[in-house]
Amino acid sequence: MRTSRQRWVLVALALIVAALGILLLIWTRAGGDAAATPAADRAPIIRALPAAAVAPAADPRPTLEDPETMTSEPARLAGGQPFWRPGLPHWYGPREDAFIRQPHDYAPGTPDQLGDRISVHLFDLERVQDMVRRGTDGDSEIAVALGHPLSEAQHQRARAVLQRFFDDTVPDIDAVLSGSLTTDAAYARIKPRREQMDTELRLALGLSERAFAELWPHIGRVPGPPPTR
């Protein structure tokens, strides 16, 4: 009885050893096959991973431009044209037949350099020009105020009024920006010139004082006593 039990124990141990040997042989062969697989065959697996898993993390620290590559060129408009600087000719935009010939190259900080007293007489000119430009349209604001569209003669007279204002004031603005004219002196010239332009524009358009005030109410709200700045 004892002999039979010992025999079964030995058989069981032999089976366990054989199983372990088979498992060890399978593991060894699998490892050898993986090492022998060409890198090109394994590449699709790497490409399938997210980029963050296979690419090194980018350096989060900001980098400064190499001093040797930095340039002293002035800032430029979106189209590549440099902002105006004293001594340079103005750029008047890409259109040869612009409605009003005026500089398009003042830097964004120009209103701050001119100050509120001067800017209050200039900031609305784009709006005024646009309304005059569309004055010959039957549904324009000026046509509604008049009761009819501008005639070609009225349109040209109004356009000439606006052009004369720019021709007269741009040199003063340039002088302030270049430092050769104080803002006080420029204000003393630009304020009455804008008041003259408003009167001439009203007459050129054939508007009554009431209609002009209703068309551009902000003009009448420009404060009398100038701001300190």
Side-chain angles (χ1 to χ4, degrees):
M1 187 73 178
R2 178 180 296 178
T3 302
S4 177
R5 184 180 299 171
Q6 290 176 345
R7 184 182 300 113
W8 282 111
V9 170
L10 291 174
V11 170
L13 290 174
L15 291 174
I16 292 173
V17 170
L20 291 174
I22 292 172
L23 291 175
L24 179 62
L25 179 62
I26 293 173
W27 180 82
T28 302
R29 288 181 176 178
D33 292 341
T37 302
D41 294 338
R42 298 196 303 270
I45 299 176
I46 297 176
R47 287 199 297 269
L49 294 175
V54 296
D59 189 348
R61 296 172 299 176
T63 58
L64 296 177
E65 188 176 1
D66 187 342
E68 294 183 0
T69 64
M70 293 179 67
T71 176
S72 59
E73 287 294 316
R76 293 177 178 271
L77 297 166
Q81 183 72 25
F83 289 119
W84 180 83
R85 291 185 298 172
L88 295 181
H90 275 293
W91 182 65
Y92 291 93
R95 296 174 54 193
E96 293 183 2
D97 186 25
F99 180 69
I100 302 295
R101 180 175 168 82
Q102 59 176 308
H104 287 197
D105 53 0
Y106 285 120
T110 298
D112 291 332
Q113 290 182 265
L114 297 176
D116 295 339
R117 290 189 303 168
I118 295 175
S119 295
V120 75
H121 297 293
L122 305 175
F123 78 97
D124 65 324
L125 289 176
E126 193 67 34
R127 174 187 174 191
V128 172
Q129 289 179 71
D130 181 63
M131 292 172 69
V132 170
R133 181 187 295 111
R134 293 182 290 103
T136 54
D137 297 338
D139 59 349
S140 65
E141 301 91 340
I142 293 177
V144 171
L146 284 172
H148 57 81
L150 287 177
S151 67
E152 185 59 28
Q154 288 174 313
H155 195 244
Q156 292 301 324
R157 284 198 298 268
R159 177 176 176 172
V161 168
L162 294 171
Q163 186 63 70
R164 285 196 300 270
F165 177 80
F166 277 103
D167 292 343
D168 290 345
T169 56
V170 165
D172 293 333
I173 295 171
D174 291 352
V176 172
L177 299 179
S178 66
S180 59
L181 186 69
T182 66
T183 54
D184 288 340
Y187 175 74
R189 295 161 61 105
I190 293 174
K191 178 180 183 294
R193 186 63 187 86
R194 173 57 194 266
E195 293 171 348
Q196 178 188 354
M197 188 208 83
D198 292 338
T199 300
E200 292 178 351
L201 183 61
R202 179 179 66 80
L203 296 175
L205 296 173
L207 291 167
S208 65
E209 292 185 4
R210 178 177 179 179
F212 187 84
E214 291 176 351
L215 193 62
W216 289 297
H218 69 279
I219 294 176
R221 291 198 297 265
V222 173
T228 56
R229 180 169 174 257

